[in-house]
C-alpha cells in the first residue's frame, strides 16, 4: 500500500501553487495545522501518523509538521477528503 505524506501547505488556501498548494483554492482550507490534518484524516477513516517535528522543505523555517497516511486511494482523493473534513471540523467547533 502506498504511503502519502500530507503537508499542511498542500491544502492551505493562503498558499500559492508554487508555495506548495495542490488543491484548487475553493477546495482548500485557510491555514490548516498538521494536528487538524491528522484529526481530519482519522475522522475520514485513515490511520494517520502525525509528525509535529518535521518541516516542509519549501518553508523550512515555519516548522509545520506533517501527516503520513497509508491507503490505496489516490493522493488527490486523500487531499480532497482531508481538506473537506478539516472544514467540517472547523464548522463544528
Amino acid at each position: 500500500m502506498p504511503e502519502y505524506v500530507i503537508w499542511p501547505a498542500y491544502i492551505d488556501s493562503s498558499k500559492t501553487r508554487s508555495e506548495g498548494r495542490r488543491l484548487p483554492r475553493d477546495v482548500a482550507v485557510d491555514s490548516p495545522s498538521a494536528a487538524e490534518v491528522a484529526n481530519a484524516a482519522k475522522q475520514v477513516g485513515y490511520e494517520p501518523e502525525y509528525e509535529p517535528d518535521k518541516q516542509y522543505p519549501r518553508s523550512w523555517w515555519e516548522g509545520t509538521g506533517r501527516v503520513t497516511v497509508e491507503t490505496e486511494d489516490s493522493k488527490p482523493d486523500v487531499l480532497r477528503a482531508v481538506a473537506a473534513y478539516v472544514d467540517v471540523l472547523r464548522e463544528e467547533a
Side-chain angles (χ1 to χ4, degrees):
M1 223 183 315
E3 181 177 72
Y4 300 122
V5 174
I6 304 173
W7 296 98
Y10 288 178
I11 62 171
D12 189 347
S13 64
S14 65
K15 301 277 186 191
T16 63
R17 290 280 186 165
S18 64
E19 290 173 329
R21 181 173 45 85
R22 294 198 176 186
L23 295 178
R25 269 216 168 94
D26 61 334
V27 177
V29 295
D30 187 40
S31 303
S33 68
E36 283 181 308
V37 171
N39 189 20
K42 188 173 184 177
Q43 295 296 324
V44 170
Y46 301 120
E47 293 182 18
E49 182 180 335
Y50 173 48
E51 299 173 285
D53 57 330
K54 299 295 182 180
Q55 299 169 323
Y56 186 49
R58 289 188 189 181
S59 56
W60 53 267
W61 58 91
E62 291 178 0
T64 58
R66 73 177 184 187
V67 176
T68 57
V69 173
E70 268 190 54
T71 182
E72 288 297 325
D73 298 339
S74 69
K75 191 166 188 175
D77 289 343
V78 171
L79 293 177
R80 284 179 182 272
V82 168
Y85 216 85
V86 166
D87 210 23
V88 167
L89 290 174
R90 286 182 176 178
E91 289 175 4
E92 290 176 357

